[in-house]
Amino acid sequence: MEQWIREYIRASGAPDITYLRAALTTTPPDQLLQLITTTRGSKLYTALLLAISRDHSEVAHLLLTPLRGIADELLFEKYEVGYTAMHCAVEKGDRKSVELMLHTVSSRRKYKLIAEQDWWCWTALTVAAERGYAEIIETLLIKLSVEQRVSLLKIQDINLYTAPHRAARCGHTTVLQSMLTSVLPHTVSTLLSMKNCVARTPLEEAQRQASKGSVELLKSWKQPVLAAHAATYQKFATLQEADKLKSKALTNQEKELAESKQQIVALQETDNRKTAELTNQKEDLAALKEADSQKAEELANQREELVESKQQIVALLEANNRMTADMAAILERINRLDIYLRTPTATDETGDQLHEPLG
């Protein structure tokens, strides 16, 4: 199955997912997960990572949708350089796939999935900061608690760069704003004081790259702007609450979808039973037709026998009539003979009575 999916994705730049959808929807989730996670392609690409790397988000959606809560093993599978599917989706800027994976993984492992590091100790957040994907940064951080956000922003790569370091180095001011407003004010100074392998803070990296916007933003955090920060943090908290409501709505939709699937299964079972009953009725009808044909054949034979019997009776009646006629003629002749014998007609010379000839 997994090999087939990978070849299916490779076969076209924009594959028709009709047949793929049919194949995936008819495979039980547990079996689908086992097939996908136990088979490897070249360079250890899983079907999910291949779909995301080829920008086939619809295929990734088809793979992940039935696996919510049981796909942790699949999501933590790594490419040969330590990349997970999450790393790949963030690098591609595929926010839809990022949201889908965060919704698919179990709640207790969301932080671990985002914090998973590749060979250079880059997390998905590090990749997003380097690429300047502010919306993806918000998507990743909204799913975490405040403590988890701080912990994630403190993670250093192989060169001791944090995500704020990477954003400042690349001049992504909006990304810096999203990361710093996602944590409480007293933790910002800790994040901005961390140093990389060359002993530079995020502010010093921004100054080195002459990123005016990032420098101004980072310098502003040195000032007493706690009130302004409280307002921006409240905005982030509002976004987080909206995300929770969205997740709840999505969960309800999934429940409704599960109920609909159960109803469809029940209807299919009912339809199968009715089909079986109809098949049995057709078989019974065919048997009745066969029996009727046999009876009709027997009746035809009986009719033929009856016709033959009638013909024999008619022949016997005709023979009987002939015999009756013959007997009547014989009786008539006997009567005539008897009358002749009893009635004298003349006397010969000797005195004997003479009779008329019988003829």
Side-chain angles (χ1 to χ4, degrees), residues 177 180-181 188 192 217-223 225 229:
Q177 180 75 11
L180 296 179
T181 55
V188 174
L192 296 184
L217 174 67
L218 293 172
K219 282 184 176 180
S220 71
W221 290 101
K222 300 292 184 179
Q223 308 300 323
V225 289
H229 178 72

Side-chain angles (χ1 to χ4, degrees), residues 95-145:
R95 187 180 182 184
K96 181 178 179 181
S97 294
V98 170
E99 291 178 340
L100 184 60
M101 283 186 280
L102 290 176
H103 186 67
T104 301
V105 72
S106 56
S107 299
R108 60 186 177 81
R109 303 193 73 184
K110 278 185 172 60
Y111 170 78
K112 179 173 174 54
L113 180 62
I114 300 172
E116 195 72 14
Q117 295 174 290
D118 63 9
W119 286 4
W120 297 276
C121 299
W122 282 39
T123 66
L125 189 69
T126 310
V127 177
E130 176 81 10
R131 296 280 190 247
Y133 298 140
E135 291 184 352
I136 291 180
I137 290 285
E138 289 183 358
T139 300
L140 294 172
L141 294 178
I142 281 175
K143 301 295 182 180
L144 307 177
S145 65

